[in-house]
Amino acid sequence: MADSSFDIVSKVERQEVDNALNQAAKEISQRYDFKNVGASIAWSGEKILMQANSEERVAAILDVFQSKLVKRGISLKALDAGEPQLSGKEYKIFASIEEGISQENAKKVAKIIRDEGPKGVKAQVQGDELRVSSKSRDDLQAVQTLLKGQDFEFALQFVNYR
């Protein structure tokens, strides 16, 4: 019997992020506390730009955007938001969506699987994802349970389970 396997990835559905951004922009345009403060949120290249005339307002825009992401099932670990910066008369926050598992993070996950996971489970890094394989499907499910219990600084998804 061939080995069973699955991939560990850190991906974000771009369309869901876009939907969350559009919902946040709509809420910001309608809320009373954002009237006449120059509040806006929009794509700026590959980054998301939030701006308003005060530091508190721009932080509130970020909060609205984060709540929309959570409602759409996107982990906040994928959102990398900077600090509010003063630019002229406006405060701005640039945020980016992090995707892929870095080599060092993949090595951390592989080490946890080796040290704490069932014997006979192999983990190998393949680009920005991690392939986990074993003869036993029960062992693979044990690895998934183990990793779900860990707290990583990046979001994990399990795909290609076969």
Side-chain angles (χ1 to χ4, degrees):
M1 187 176 122
D3 283 1
S4 299
S5 68
F6 68 88
D7 295 334
I8 301 173
V9 297
S10 181
K11 291 196 179 354
V12 175
E13 189 75 35
R14 172 82 178 197
Q15 185 62 49
E16 291 296 328
V17 175
D18 208 33
N19 291 343
L21 185 114
N22 291 336
Q23 287 178 341
K26 185 174 182 180
E27 181 173 325
I28 288 165
S29 71
Q30 293 174 345
R31 273 184 34 182
Y32 180 76
D33 56 336
F34 288 121
K35 294 276 189 242
N36 303 322
V37 294
S40 68
I41 181 170
W43 285 105
S44 174
E46 283 297 306
K47 293 190 177 279
I48 298 163
L49 170 65
M50 294 162 260
Q51 57 188 18
N53 67 0
S54 75
E55 197 170 344
E56 294 79 25
R57 288 286 172 247
V58 79
I61 293 170
L62 177 62
D63 190 49
V64 168
F65 182 55
Q66 287 175 334
S67 71
K68 298 301 179 191
L69 286 174
V70 168
K71 283 183 183 173
R72 301 205 70 83
I74 297 171
S75 172
L76 292 181
K77 292 178 182 178
L79 181 70
D80 182 25
E83 293 296 314
Q85 300 168 341
L86 183 61
S87 173
K89 292 183 178 178
E90 300 217 311
Y91 283 87
K92 296 182 177 183
I93 294 179
F94 285 98
S96 60
I97 303 296
E98 301 290 322
E99 286 194 306
I101 302 174
S102 69
Q103 289 290 327
E104 62 201 42
N105 287 336
K107 287 178 183 173
K108 284 182 197 171
V109 174
K111 183 172 179 359
I112 289 172
I113 292 171
R114 266 197 318 276
D115 295 348
E116 301 175 29
K119 299 293 178 225
V121 175
K122 296 185 288 288
Q124 58 194 34
V125 179
Q126 296 180 334
D128 62 350
E129 57 186 46
L130 192 69
R131 166 80 39 95
V132 179
S133 57
S134 172
K135 293 204 180 304
S136 165
R137 286 179 172 243
D138 291 342
D139 288 350
L140 292 180
Q141 289 175 338
V143 168
Q144 285 184 356
T145 304
L146 168 72
L147 293 177
K148 284 177 184 173
Q150 300 288 326
D151 186 33
F152 297 107
E153 62 266 10
F154 52 95
L156 290 181
Q157 292 90 28
F158 305 109
V159 296
N160 294 338
Y161 189 78
R162 47 180 174 288

